[in-house]
Amino acid sequence: MNIAVAQSGGPTCAINASLAGVFTEASRREEIDKIYGSINGIEGIINDKLVELSTIIKTNQDLELLTLTPSTVLGSCRYKLPEAEADPDIYKKITECFKKNDINIFFYIGGNDSMDTVNKLSKYFSENKIDIQVIGIPKTIDNDLMCTDHTPGFGSAAKYVAASVQEIIRDSSVYCVKSVTIVEIMGRDAGWLAASSCVLKANDENAPHLIYLPETPFSIERFLEDVKRMLGEHKAVVIAVSEGLKMIDGEYAAEEFQSGANDSFGHKYLSGIGKCLENIVRQEIGCKVRSIELNVMQRCASHIASKTDIDESFRIGEESVKYAIKGISGKMMAFRRISDRPYFSDVVPVDTSQVANQTKLFPKEWINNQGNNVNAQALDYFLPLIQGELNVLMKNGMPVHFKIPNWF
């Protein structure tokens, strides 16, 4: 039989490692003949735009480079698959592509919305007695997928965020004047990534002095009280905030700075909370203040990727093939943590119906009573995920990335 694999959603440092894991394990299997890659996610299946991966991954060096290359080499999409009853023609196109290319298993690497696609496709094939399996492989820097201890891509993003905040601490500490630096970090509805900046405490850093997450209702008054108190204790105050901070009424804290636009899944495009809080501190406190939005740099900083993250991402790709050979469908592969010290996890399948269209929030019991920082339980959770460094291949002083023809 033949298989197909696609990548979807926002890029990460680790999504290509999962692709490499699928390719590696599938190449070992006598049951599998051709391994197809779908260009631009599920859209490549709809449009029958496939490439045989053995034509672009030709050597072990190619495979190693692919594993270490950030973003999605096959391209991505943010396509919301409709319900089969609403648009049966789309499902017919997908089925025709699979049958034309003798594809019996489809692997979809992506986040929450991608698991929705896996769930819908698997249900459609099952109800119509079509012999095609669909397997989800998780990916998101937001770490907000249900039923998995963590997600591929998160550990590397967390490591970049922490390293960046540490460098901001060094930069902001050189002057004798009082200052506040607000670092805006990705996280629409869940604060995992902003919370992960707490790992600096393991290296005896005091900052970030304050951490604000979407899981706790945000108050401007309490925020100003917190900042004034920290300015009384520290010369340079560094604050980590999630982009999706919400007020007690559920509205985004920086609503006035938002574009008002939504993506195809109905999610608001967010940014601006850092600048909003910068202006408030300037007006109400009057000290030196700046905001820094890390933005998309959090996603693909492979020069400081977590080896644990990349290794696990490769492994979950391999395990997805092993489970698929056993006949499962409609499942997402997930990490189950066995222990923190020493860190160990295994890979298990979970129903995508339990993952799709849901959000795993940062645990409230890991947030302090004041709602302005996290506790030691969070530190114990995060630290294992950022461990290890990779030997990045360099040329002319710059990292080398795996590249394929420009199909996009």
Side-chain angles (χ1 to χ4, degrees):
M1 61 180 169
N2 299 332
I3 69 169
V5 57
Q7 300 168 305
S8 180
T12 77
C13 279
I15 191 170
N16 286 328
S18 293
L19 174 65
V22 170
F23 180 82
T24 298
E25 183 61 30
S27 298
R28 298 187 185 118
R29 295 285 173 165
E30 293 181 357
E31 305 97 319
I32 296 173
D33 185 13
K34 295 179 180 178
I35 307 166
Y36 287 106
S38 174
I39 305 303
N40 295 119
I42 192 65
E43 292 180 353
I45 302 296
I46 294 169
N47 299 316
D48 195 15
K49 196 172 181 182
L50 306 178
V51 59
E52 194 174 341
L53 290 182
S54 62
T55 66
I56 59 173
I57 307 173
K58 300 177 181 179
T59 66
N60 288 335
Q61 185 178 12
D62 286 342
L63 190 64
E64 181 180 357
L65 193 55
L66 171 65
T67 302
L68 300 178
T69 295
S71 192
T72 57
V73 298
L74 293 174
S76 186
C77 71
R78 292 195 183 275
Y79 180 86
K80 182 174 178 61
L81 188 67
E83 297 291 343
E85 299 80 10
D87 195 345
D89 288 343
I90 290 293
Y91 287 79
K92 289 178 182 177
K93 285 184 178 181
I94 292 171
T95 304
E96 288 169 1
C97 176
F98 286 147
K99 288 187 174 180
K100 172 187 172 183
N101 295 285
D102 295 323
I103 293 167
N104 295 101
I105 307 175
F106 176 51
F107 300 92
Y108 207 22
I109 311 173
N112 196 316
D113 299 323
S114 303
M115 295 310 118
D116 178 63
T117 296
V118 172
N119 191 48
K120 287 174 179 174
L121 279 179
S122 178
K123 180 181 176 183
Y124 174 81
F125 293 144
S126 176
E127 290 177 349
N128 290 276
K129 295 181 172 53
I130 299 170
D131 187 20
I132 299 173
Q133 299 164 239
V134 190
I135 310 294
I137 302 174
K139 171 268 350 164
T140 176
I141 67 166
D142 294 323
N143 201 40
D144 60 354
L145 292 187
M146 299 291 289
C147 304
T148 184
D149 178 76
H150 56 281
T151 55
F154 171 71
S156 293
K159 188 165 185 166
Y160 171 81
V161 165
S164 298
V165 171
Q166 182 170 320
E167 290 162 353
I168 289 168
I169 294 168
R170 299 283 83 75
D171 181 273
S172 65
S173 301
V174 299
Y175 301 108
C176 61
V177 297
K178 292 281 187 177
S179 68
V180 173
T181 304
I182 300 162
V183 186
E184 179 180 332
I185 299 164
M186 283 182 170
R188 175 190 307 281
D189 296 309
W192 294 95
L193 203 51
S196 71
S197 61
C198 76
V199 299
L200 295 176
K201 299 292 196 297
N203 284 4
D204 299 320
E205 294 284 0
N206 289 321
H209 302 99
L210 299 165
I211 299 174
Y212 297 96
L213 312 176
E215 286 79 0
T216 301
F218 186 74
S219 163
I220 296 296
E221 292 74 20
R222 288 201 304 269
F223 168 75
L224 288 171
E225 291 173 3
D226 291 342
V227 174
K228 289 175 183 177
R229 186 177 68 258
M230 287 299 163
L231 280 170
E233 300 174 9
H234 305 281
K235 180 180 65 174
V237 175
V238 177
I239 304 169
V241 301
S242 290
E243 63 179 348
L245 288 188
K246 296 182 181 69
M247 308 300 282
I248 196 165
D249 61 2
E251 292 295 318
Y252 288 111
E255 196 73 33
E256 61 180 295
F257 286 84
Q258 310 304 330
S259 66
N262 293 347
D263 65 16
S264 59
F265 289 87
H267 306 316
K268 286 189 175 183
Y269 291 111
L270 298 181
S271 69
I273 184 61
K275 181 59 69 174
C276 174
L277 295 179
E278 174 191 336
N279 291 334
I280 290 171
V281 170
R282 181 176 292 110
Q283 293 167 10
E284 300 297 326
I285 298 179
C287 64
K288 178 183 177 182
V289 57
R290 64 160 55 91
S291 60
I292 300 169
E293 183 183 348
L294 297 186
N295 210 299
V296 297
M297 288 87 75
Q298 296 157 90
R299 302 197 296 200
C300 288
S302 59
H303 59 286
I304 196 171
S306 157
K307 186 176 188 301
T308 296
D309 182 32
I310 300 303
D311 289 347
E312 286 192 327
S313 300
F314 187 94
R315 176 181 162 212
I316 206 169
E318 288 182 305
E319 292 297 318
S320 68
V321 176
K322 294 177 184 178
Y323 273 99
I325 294 297
K326 297 176 183 179
I328 70 168
S329 186
K331 306 289 186 181
M332 181 189 82
M333 307 312 300
F335 289 119
R336 180 176 59 184
R337 187 177 298 212
I338 306 301
S339 66
D340 289 325
R341 300 178 184 178
Y343 171 69
F344 181 72
S345 68
D346 62 4
V347 177
V348 296
V350 298
D351 288 335
T352 51
S353 60
Q354 299 177 32
V355 180
N357 304 312
Q358 299 186 57
T359 300
K360 183 181 74 174
L361 300 179
F362 186 79
K364 288 191 176 181
E365 61 269 25
W366 294 359
I367 302 173
N368 67 3
N369 293 333
Q370 296 74 36
N372 60 17
N373 218 311
V374 300
N375 59 33
Q377 288 176 280
L379 184 62
D380 290 340
Y381 170 83
F382 290 128
L383 272 177
L385 305 181
I386 65 169
Q387 298 305 309
E389 291 70 50
L390 297 164
N391 294 319
V392 179
L393 180 63
M394 307 291 284
K395 181 179 179 181
N396 294 322
M398 298 295 294
V400 178
H401 292 161
F402 182 87
K403 292 179 285 187
I404 58 178
N406 185 17
W407 293 309
F408 317 121

